Amino acid sequence: MFSFLNRIIALDLGNYSYKYIEAQLTDKLQILRYGSCSTKQLYNSVEPAKTWKKTGSRIKNAVISFQHKSLITRELELKAYDENHLYSIIQEEFNKYQTDLKEEYDYDFKIQSHIEESGIYLTKAAGISKKANREYIDKVLRLGMRPKAVDIQINAIIRIMRRAFKHSSSPSLKVPCLLIDLGYSNTTAAIVNFNEIIALKSISAGCSMLNESHEVQEKYLRDITLLLNQITDHYIYSYNSEELKQAFLYGGGSLSNAVFDYLSGQIPLPCNRINVLAPFLPDLPSDMDLNLYCNCLGSLYRQEENFTRKEIKND
């Protein structure tokens, strides 16, 4: 019987459903159970926390992730006297975004490297609408959970790629690559390597449109094609970098063979559903569909890495 110590639940807060994975964090990640719950079912109920308990979940500590169009990611190279000075500079940067976008932002950053001689810090910063962030956190609190961290979903996928590529001997698994998250209400495209999000763009068009008329379905596919053309053109003309190696599709829309076949024909790259990486992830239960649970799994890898670092530090 597992102790509740070091148990965590990873929640992918989608518009149609919440997907979750419960896990035990020790020296090795152990997945305990997983599933999903309709958001309509949850929040149309008088007591969402009681409805959530019907899933069988009792874990309180949660790492949450969600996709929102306001997300900003930046790699910043800044000169500062120390980390306090660096924080104030990054704060000024996001104040500019808030002024330009007329919206308050929650933000965070990580220092990637520091050159003492020059005082240059290489940092990765991310920000998201404060209003949207608080709304999602409040929703999780209403379910009786304690949000411990908010993860960026594209970063979750990068962690999965790093781990899968490490365990794979296939020469075809290379970066940089194109990621396409085909969600219920939104579609997100990103160009990434193992260490960073190079480009990111979202649109308010999701696979729910596949339930509409033929004209709406065609518009959905056209909108995604335009999104992919825009982000790949931006990459080609703005970065003197390597050619894109492949594309991975995931999310509910990726389960549609018609959508997958259409986009595979539009993208001049080898295309796969992200489930192709499942054999290289030893933690993954054999019956789990990675196309649907990849955001949760990648968030758990984040927590596992943090837990391991903490254990090493304590030793």
Side-chain angles (χ1 to χ4, degrees):
M1 187 117 180
F2 289 112
S3 162
F4 276 94
L5 185 65
N6 298 327
R7 281 192 178 188
I8 192 83
I9 182 169
L11 281 171
D12 173 0
L13 305 178
N15 289 320
Y16 179 74
S17 66
Y18 287 1
K19 297 170 187 68
Y20 64 90
I21 302 178
E22 295 180 351
Q24 181 93 8
L25 295 178
T26 55
D27 56 339
K28 182 183 178 183
L29 177 71
Q30 182 155 6
I31 293 175
L32 305 176
R33 57 196 299 274
Y34 65 92
S36 65
C37 188
S38 160
T39 54
K40 187 175 180 180
Q41 180 184 351
L42 280 174
Y43 296 110
N44 281 358
S45 65
V46 177
E47 296 183 81
K50 283 189 176 180
T51 304
W52 176 256
K53 282 185 177 179
K54 291 178 182 178
T55 65
S57 178
R58 296 295 183 270
I59 296 176
K60 298 296 183 182
N61 292 336
V63 54
I64 68 174
S65 70
F66 56 88
Q67 183 58 46
H68 194 266
K69 62 183 179 181
S70 66
L71 176 65
I72 295 172
T73 60
R74 295 290 185 269
E75 187 171 278
L76 302 172
E77 190 174 293
L78 302 167
K79 186 172 184 177
Y81 305 124
D82 54 30
E83 290 187 19
N84 288 333
H85 184 216
L86 177 65
Y87 176 81
S88 66
I89 294 173
I90 291 176
Q91 189 175 38
E92 289 176 11
E93 288 289 323
F94 274 94
N95 284 339
K96 292 176 187 176
Y97 292 131
Q98 291 179 156
T99 301
D100 293 341
L101 300 172
K102 298 181 175 60
E103 187 166 15
E104 285 190 273
Y105 267 68
D106 284 335
Y107 57 89
D108 197 4
F109 70 94
K110 284 187 177 180
I111 298 172
Q112 299 299 114
S113 63
H114 176 220
I115 304 172
E116 290 188 11
E117 294 79 6
S118 62
I120 297 294
Y121 288 85
L122 181 62
T123 68
K124 288 183 180 178
I128 199 161
S129 159
K130 179 176 286 189
K131 180 182 177 183
N133 197 31
R134 301 303 163 84
E135 285 176 352
Y136 278 103
I137 290 172
D138 286 345
K139 286 179 179 179
V140 175
L141 290 171
R142 288 176 62 195
L143 300 181
M145 284 180 272
R146 296 185 291 264
K148 294 297 183 180
V150 178
D151 197 15
I152 295 172
Q153 291 191 339
I154 296 297
N155 281 342
I157 304 305
I158 291 174
R159 291 185 208 104
I160 286 176
M161 288 170 45
R162 272 202 305 259
R163 190 164 299 210
F165 284 28
K166 181 180 177 181
H167 288 97
S168 168
S169 57
S170 172
S172 63
L173 296 179
K174 296 179 180 178
V175 293
C177 62
L178 174 64
L179 301 178
I180 308 160
D181 183 357
L182 300 166
Y184 185 75
S185 301
N186 302 287
T187 300
T188 301
I191 294 173
V192 306
N193 57 32
F194 287 138
N195 300 308
E196 64 177 328
I197 302 169
I198 301 169
L200 175 72
K201 188 176 178 64
S202 295
I203 58 171
S204 298
C207 61
S208 62
M209 297 169 71
L210 296 174
N211 299 322
E212 304 296 331
S213 66
H214 181 68
E215 290 75 14
V216 173
Q217 293 178 36
E218 287 190 333
K219 183 180 185 306
Y220 169 63
L221 295 173
R222 287 197 306 270
D223 287 348
I224 296 176
T225 302
L226 178 60
L227 168 68
L228 300 179
N229 288 337
Q230 288 174 339
I231 198 168
T232 52
D233 286 349
H234 172 71
Y235 176 76
I236 291 167
Y237 292 111
S238 300
Y239 298 91
N240 184 21
S241 305
E242 293 182 73
E243 291 184 1
L244 294 174
K245 301 297 193 297
Q246 59 196 313
F248 290 109
L249 286 71
Y250 56 98
S254 70
L255 302 181
S256 165
N257 289 330
V259 171
F260 180 81
D261 291 344
Y262 176 85
L263 293 179
S264 297
Q266 297 296 313
I267 302 168
L269 296 167
C271 293
N272 284 292
R273 295 179 175 93
I274 206 165
N275 222 35
V276 74
L277 301 181
F280 311 114
L281 299 169
D283 308 310
L284 195 71
S286 59
D287 57 351
M288 180 186 286
D289 190 339
L290 189 61
N291 295 314
L292 299 178
Y293 290 92
C294 50
N295 289 320
C296 294
L297 184 65
S299 292
L300 286 177
Y301 287 158
R302 174 187 189 272
Q303 297 306 106
E304 182 189 35
E305 290 166 5
N306 290 343
F307 179 84
T308 303
R309 281 195 292 268
K310 182 180 177 183
E311 289 292 296
I312 292 171
K313 186 176 179 181
N314 288 341
D315 288 345

